[in-house]
Amino acid sequence: MSRTALPSAMIFDVFGTLVDYRTSVAREVRRAFECCGQNVDSLAFADSWRAAYEPSMEPVRSGRRPYVPLDVLHYENLCSVLRQFELAGILSHDRKIELSRAWERLDPWPDAVAGLDRLKAATLIAPCSNGSVGLMVRLARHAGFSWDCILGADIAKTYKPDPNVYLASCEALGLSPGRVMMVAAHNQDLEAAAAVGLQTGFISRPTEFGPGQTTDLSPAGDWTVTAANAVDLAGQFGL
Amino acid sequence: MSRTALPSAMIFDVFGTLVDYRTSVAREVRRAFECCGQNVDSLAFADSWRAAYEPSMEPVRSGRRPYVPLDVLHYENLCSVLRQFELAGILSHDRKIELSRAWERLDPWPDAVAGLDRLKAATLIAPCSNGSVGLMVRLARHAGFSWDCILGADIAKTYKPDPNVYLASCEALGLSPGRVMMVAAHNQDLEAAAAVGLQTGFISRPTEFGPGQTTDLSPAGDWTVTAANAVDLAGQFGL
């Protein structure tokens, strides 16, 4: 069986692909409301918060709103979801800020750190996420990711799947897109990266959205590699 | 004796402050010309190449030339210095490209890795250099630096000491300038950082420019901390 040649750099989607945001955000929501003795359906809260994520980036992608880091959108979306759950006014401003930064305290999928460490021994690795540099740096410290650098939205000043995010990430590394592989658990992310010439790696995360997940259960394109998880991905390069 | 409080992040000048570019570049120049049996005064060559660095950034800082990564300037300056040394035409195009990337293979000062590792155990660390992300990533692999992320010129799309380089670096981390310390062996770098509100750390590198060095031998401003080297800097925070 022939092995895929190792790219000069591998860049990774993070939320969902490397970290389990759903159960981690739910835990942070539970913690935030424990102190006030408030019972909250924390998984439903996490799902609503995540649901607000895509539409909140659209005005930035379309140019109607100047770029703001994802931390700002996370805070604004948190405020909406608090109102939606009739919890507005319960948390102090400082506690809301603290909770909005739950995305810096997400736990990695069990295979993520080991897979990245194996890949890092042989190639450059970096996140290509919609999270800001600050968010990604603090999340890396929490999760144990040893990135070479932080790429993604904050470098391009717009959000994926805008092609400029992938292109600016390759350019920062001084590499042509064909020498870089985008890795994600989301077919749409890979489609956008492939459209501007990057190699693509699909990782399955069948419980990212919870037990009833119906999308991204399998690769939907002719991706360069597909893997069951990050360790399996490294294995496909003989690592 | 009271200790200085640890900043939320420390950002570092690299060329001269953490790596000894002069002897490393000279070594790379020797290696490049060894194969053609050409004798070159490699330290003089390194000094001339470095001397071309400051003036080559000026058109970008003043807005007369659109931002190009430092890798491009290093290549252009190399071509000038080759002509100056009457060595144009000796190296093939590929060998010139290879030599222009000598700046990715600079050796760290003996204390640099140990000092950074101690600081990283307690705070965020990143380069704030004029080198591109790609250059800094490859240099980090060569020298053994474990950065949290890469900041600096490539983030701001202009060159130090333009204030935007320091401000964009703080902004990427989501930190106000007062929570970030700029560390450098160059007083001018610290002056520019201090002017926009960053804390400052001076490290002495009395042989950076060679045995006859006359500038930056001592701190020339009221810097937050001054240190003999990177390990001493960590020690001043009790690390």
Side-chain angles (χ1 to χ4, degrees), chain B residues 19 29 50 54 57 60 68 93 104 110-111 118 120 127 129 151 183 189-190 192 194-195 205 208:
Chain B
V19 298
V29 169
R50 175 67 176 187
E54 267 303 326
M57 291 184 293
V60 173
V68 290
H93 177 70
E104 299 179 357
D111 52 277
R118 287 186 202 189
K120 193 182 179 182
S129 159
L151 303 172
V183 178
D189 205 353
L190 299 183
R205 295 298 183 196
E208 173 188 354

Side-chain angles (χ1 to χ4, degrees), chain A residues 59-112:
Chain A
V60 174
R61 276 194 291 249
S62 68
R64 280 179 289 130
R65 179 180 185 178
Y67 174 78
V68 289
L70 189 59
D71 316 72
V72 173
L73 302 181
H74 276 156
Y75 180 79
E76 293 174 358
N77 295 340
L78 171 62
C79 293
S80 305
V81 178
L82 285 169
R83 284 193 297 274
Q84 191 185 321
F85 278 70
E86 300 184 341
L87 293 164
I90 295 198
L91 300 179
S92 67
H93 177 71
D94 283 359
R95 281 193 188 275
K96 270 197 280 192
I97 293 280
E98 175 69 9
L99 178 55
S100 78
R101 296 173 74 162
W103 301 84
E104 298 178 356
R105 301 185 292 271
L106 307 177
D107 296 342
W109 294 110
D111 53 277

Side-chain angles (χ1 to χ4, degrees), chain A residues 69 101 119-125 132-135 137-138 140-141 146-151 154-155 157 171-175 179, chain B residues 69 101 119-125 132-135 137-138 140-141 146-151 154-155 157 171-175 179:
Chain A
R101 296 173 74 162
L119 290 165
K120 193 181 178 183
T123 190
L124 299 176
I125 60 166
S132 67
V133 171
L135 199 173
V137 157
R138 287 179 274 268
R141 286 285 186 119
S146 296
W147 301 119
D148 282 289
C149 62
I150 309 287
L151 303 171
D154 237 14
I155 303 288
K157 305 294 178 203
E171 202 185 340
L173 292 172
L175 295 172
R179 295 178 63 189
Chain B
R101 297 173 73 162
L119 290 165
K120 193 182 179 182
T123 189
L124 299 176
I125 59 165
S132 68
V133 171
L135 198 174
V137 157
R138 286 179 274 269
R141 286 286 187 118
S146 296
W147 300 119
D148 283 288
C149 61
I150 308 288
L151 303 172
D154 237 13
I155 305 287
K157 305 293 179 207
E171 202 186 341
L173 292 171
L175 295 172
R179 296 178 62 190

Side-chain angles (χ1 to χ4, degrees), chain A residues 87-234:
Chain A
L87 293 164
I90 295 198
L91 300 179
S92 67
H93 177 71
D94 283 359
R95 281 193 188 275
K96 270 197 280 192
I97 293 280
E98 175 69 9
L99 178 55
S100 78
R101 296 173 74 162
W103 301 84
E104 298 178 356
R105 301 185 292 271
L106 307 177
D107 296 342
W109 294 110
D111 53 277
V113 172
L116 289 177
D117 284 350
R118 287 185 202 190
L119 290 165
K120 193 181 178 183
T123 190
L124 299 176
I125 60 166
C128 181
S129 159
N130 281 328
S132 67
V133 171
L135 199 173
M136 282 296 125
V137 157
R138 287 179 274 268
L139 176 55
R141 286 285 186 119
H142 173 86
F145 301 147
S146 296
W147 301 119
D148 282 289
C149 62
I150 309 287
L151 303 171
D154 237 14
I155 303 288
K157 305 294 178 203
T158 189
Y159 288 111
K160 293 190 297 179
D162 187 302
N164 288 317
V165 181
Y166 311 99
L167 292 174
S169 297
C170 296
E171 202 185 340
L173 292 172
L175 295 172
S176 60
R179 295 178 63 189
V180 179
M181 179 177 286
M182 177 73 204
V183 178
H186 310 123
N187 286 291
Q188 190 212 24
D189 205 353
L190 298 183
E191 217 169 277
V196 288
L198 283 81
Q199 297 182 52
T200 47
F202 181 86
I203 289 184
S204 300
R205 294 299 183 196
T207 61
E208 173 188 353
F209 302 108
Q213 182 164 331
T214 56
T215 58
D216 286 324
L217 290 171
S218 56
D222 186 19
W223 312 135
T224 317
V225 291
T226 66
N229 57 49
V231 170
D232 179 39
L233 180 68

Side-chain angles (χ1 to χ4, degrees), chain B residues 185-187 202 204-206 213-221 223 226:
Chain B
H186 311 122
N187 287 291
F202 182 86
S204 300
R205 295 298 183 196
Q213 181 163 334
T214 56
T215 59
D216 286 323
L217 290 173
S218 57
W223 312 134
T226 65

